[in-house]
Amino acid sequence: MANAHESTLPGGHAAAHGKAHDDDHDPNLQHHFYSMDQQLEASTLGMWVFLVTEVMFFGGLFMAYLLYRYWYPMDWAAASNHLNVVMGGLNTAVLIVSSLTMALAVRSAQVGSWAGQVVNLILTIIFGTVFLVVKYFEYAEKFEHHLVPGPDFDPTLPRQQQLFFSLYFIMTGIHAAHMVVGIGIMLVILAMAWKGKFGPKYYGPVEVSGLYWHFVDIVWIFLFPLLYLLGAHFSTAAH
């Protein structure tokens, strides 16, 4: 009787009903979802909604940057000349490669490659850690040269340039905090992948965490030229 009932379902509904019935036995399916596909779609949508709030948050900082850049173009470019373009460029390359390894980790989970998941997640964590280490040395350099806003800021530099460094530390500091959170998430995902939790039927956590990682990388892709490359342009114009 059950088979006869399924045969009366229009179109491909019988197959979908059978798939949903199979998903009922999947231990990774949460009780409030009808199928694994629905669970993945809901998780992905939730992450996109969260990322929209992040876009609005960083958007406010970018707007403040653009306004001050418009009001004080020469001071902004001169202050940018104190940033280490080599370190910033290195971190840009590191994050671009980390996005690649993250994408490979997601693909490995989708095809059920345990080794691919583990190796690429480890590489992603390593690249994220390298980014933070480089950022540490860059910050240390700013403290050494008294370029940190506050009572020890170099008194020979105009106050407009202190505004630049205030935004520099706010924007890059918040970004670095997001990177720390991302590494923590990747460690959890790595532990789950190591236990063989992910495969073709269940890879949602890897994909969703990958969206977060890519977002953090994209934010830096905008920060690097806006903050670091003004100095090179200023030096060229000065000559």
Side-chain angles (χ1 to χ4, degrees):
M1 293 297 293
N3 292 337
H5 172 69
E6 288 185 4
S7 64
T8 61
L9 293 175
H13 289 185
H17 179 76
K19 185 180 185 304
H21 181 73
D22 292 339
D23 286 343
D24 288 340
H25 302 288
D26 194 315
N28 297 305
L29 179 65
Q30 301 299 313
H31 66 87
H32 48 281
F33 293 112
Y34 178 74
S35 67
M36 294 296 292
D37 289 340
Q38 185 192 40
Q39 178 173 282
L40 176 60
E41 291 174 2
S43 300
T44 304
L45 177 61
M47 177 53 72
W48 277 115
V49 171
F50 169 74
L51 293 181
V52 167
T53 66
E54 290 285 281
V55 168
M56 292 188 290
F57 173 75
F58 278 101
L61 294 175
F62 280 118
M63 181 57 67
Y65 169 90
L66 291 174
L67 288 174
Y68 282 120
R69 173 76 176 91
Y70 176 77
W71 289 333
Y72 312 116
M74 299 303 292
D75 286 303
W76 226 240
S80 174
N81 206 42
H82 293 282
L83 300 183
N84 194 317
V85 178
V86 175
M87 286 188 178
L90 173 61
N91 265 348
T92 302
V94 165
L95 288 190
I96 290 174
V97 177
S98 77
S99 274
L100 173 62
T101 57
M102 186 68 245
L104 292 175
V106 174
R107 180 57 182 169
S108 297
Q110 292 173 339
V111 300
S113 172
W114 179 87
Q117 296 174 55
V118 171
V119 170
N120 284 294
L121 286 171
I122 290 175
L123 288 175
T124 301
I125 294 170
I126 290 174
F127 287 128
T129 304
V130 169
F131 176 90
L132 293 176
V133 170
V134 173
K135 182 56 62 180
Y136 166 80
F137 284 107
E138 192 175 359
Y139 279 178
E141 184 180 68
K142 299 300 175 292
F143 276 94
E144 181 181 353
H145 292 91
H146 303 285
L147 295 176
V148 181
D152 293 330
F153 189 77
D154 186 351
T156 64
L157 295 179
R159 292 183 62 84
Q160 291 84 351
Q161 295 188 27
Q162 187 168 356
L163 284 174
F164 173 88
F165 284 106
S166 296
L167 272 178
Y168 165 80
F169 278 102
I170 290 172
M171 298 173 81
T172 59
I174 292 175
H175 177 268
H178 279 72
M179 182 61 63
V180 172
V181 172
I183 291 175
I185 293 173
M186 291 306 144
L187 288 171
V188 174
I189 297 298
L190 174 61
M192 296 174 67
W194 185 270
K195 297 176 182 178
K197 296 287 187 180
F198 306 122
K201 289 187 176 181
Y202 180 64
Y203 54 87
V206 187
E207 182 170 318
V208 171
S209 60
L211 289 175
Y212 176 86
W213 190 269
H214 293 315
F215 170 79
V216 175
D217 291 353
I218 290 172
V219 170
W220 180 259
I221 296 300
F222 282 95
L223 288 177
F224 175 64
L226 288 176
L227 294 173
Y228 289 79
L229 300 186
L230 290 175
H233 175 73
F234 176 79
S235 298
T236 302
H239 287 82

